[in-house]
Amino acid sequence: VDYGLKPVQRENWALEADDVGDFYHAALQGFAHAALEHPDWPNLPEEEILWADTKRWLGLPWTFTKYALTKEKLFIQTGVFNLKEDEVRLYRIMDVTLKRSFWERLFGLGTIHCCSADKSSPEFDILHIKKSSATKNMLSDMIEAERTEKRVSSREFMLDEDDAFGADDHEG
């Protein structure tokens, strides 16, 4: 039996750029798989969610932006490592617009632009979703129903073009 400390040649380990890329790719692939296998966001009972979709790239749900709609709220979750969850009450949404670029039409997608009275999200987009026209119509109807139920109305001020530029009302 031989005891004691003897000098031993150490192995040199190097971390190449390719290895780092493989590591990040594997990590993102793992997160994507987990997100698709366990869609536990938002933490609502499934019967409360009336519509849900994911922002899409080339028609496929390869992004980490998720949308969910309940009777009273729209939820938007973004991020992979750092998550951000926005919640907008439907009665606060003032205007809804559908936009469909050439590329979105090519892949059967669309973007819904919303203007709201919400302080944290005065304007936001529901980006690159499937069935965008039907979703916009459903969202618009739900907004009107929620505004009616909550007795919320918005006032629009309509001015004559001359009034808008400060023209004198009494000419003479």
Side-chain angles (χ1 to χ4, degrees), residues 19-126:
D19 297 331
V20 173
D22 289 343
F23 170 76
Y24 284 128
H25 178 74
L28 285 175
Q29 190 174 18
F31 276 110
H33 180 68
L36 292 173
E37 290 294 317
H38 307 287
D40 61 347
W41 179 87
N43 295 325
L44 298 170
E46 237 180 77
E47 56 272 1
E48 283 189 31
I49 297 175
L50 303 175
W51 171 84
D53 202 354
T54 302
K55 176 181 163 186
R56 295 168 186 277
W57 185 77
L58 298 178
L60 299 171
W62 288 347
T63 66
F64 296 97
T65 301
K66 297 179 183 180
Y67 306 104
L69 181 66
T70 66
K71 183 179 178 280
E72 296 180 349
K73 300 174 187 175
L74 173 67
F75 297 93
I76 303 171
Q77 180 191 39
T78 56
V80 178
F81 299 110
N82 298 318
L83 293 179
K84 178 183 175 190
E85 294 180 10
D86 284 327
E87 172 185 310
V88 179
R89 295 195 173 269
L90 294 183
Y91 73 85
R92 295 182 146 267
I93 298 175
M94 309 298 280
D95 190 37
V96 179
T97 306
L98 176 63
K99 299 177 185 179
R100 296 187 72 204
S101 69
F102 172 74
W103 293 107
E104 285 177 319
R105 288 191 323 245
L106 193 64
F107 290 103
L109 306 174
T111 295
I112 300 173
H113 178 75
C114 299
C115 298
S116 76
D118 191 75
K119 297 282 185 194
S120 63
S121 304
E123 290 190 18
F124 60 91
D125 290 325
I126 304 172

